[in-house]
Amino acid sequence: EIDNLELNVKNLIILDENSPNGTQVANVRVTNSIQTILDSTNRTLIELRFKLLTCNDTFTINQETGEIRVLDSRKLDYEQIKELFVNIECIEINRLHEPKIKTRKGSINMLVKLRNLNDNPIEFHLPKYEYSIEENLRNLPHDLNGKLIQINDPDLNDGSN
């Protein structure tokens, strides 16, 4: 006899930052439920109930199916947080309070890593920029330090944008 529910979910999820509300993230499954036990009228005696123990202000879980979706995309900003640790619990509920059936529960962890997107566009202060360079110029003037133009990207992301 197994006292705990065994849950299965992909343990590493890569999710785009700012993914829209309602975006599917993962599906949690129970691998050893006795949910198939029926009463004399073919009603299921056992129901599963899923619950998020962490990150429940960022994600939501369908308590009956275990499907996890984005609840608040504003919390998925790579510049603020790079990854989220999600703890999920499931419990078997004895619908008819059958004394022979023991209530069981289990939990599992999932790591959601945010994929960095260039979500802050480059800002240009003039509508048009023009530069002239003499033909066959071997060395740039000293005051340019080897630069022809410099553009600043206000996005705080790591890496190239």
Side-chain angles (χ1 to χ4, degrees), residues 73-130:
S73 63
R74 295 172 300 171
K75 308 259 174 141
L76 301 176
D77 185 358
Y78 183 87
E79 286 76 33
Q80 300 299 317
I81 190 166
K82 309 276 189 270
E83 56 189 37
L84 298 103
F85 184 74
V86 183
N87 188 276
I88 306 130
E89 180 183 73
C90 183
I91 187 168
E92 283 180 328
I93 297 178
N94 180 346
R95 284 188 32 211
L96 300 179
H97 306 291
E98 177 66 42
K100 297 177 189 173
I101 300 174
K102 182 178 177 182
T103 299
R104 300 182 306 161
K105 67 180 180 177
S107 65
I108 195 166
N109 298 317
M110 176 179 77
L111 180 64
V112 178
K113 287 192 173 190
L114 297 181
R115 181 181 296 125
N116 187 12
L117 302 178
N118 192 4
D119 54 344
N120 298 316
I122 295 175
E123 297 172 7
F124 292 96
H125 299 286
L126 299 175
K128 183 177 179 181
Y129 294 84
E130 290 185 29

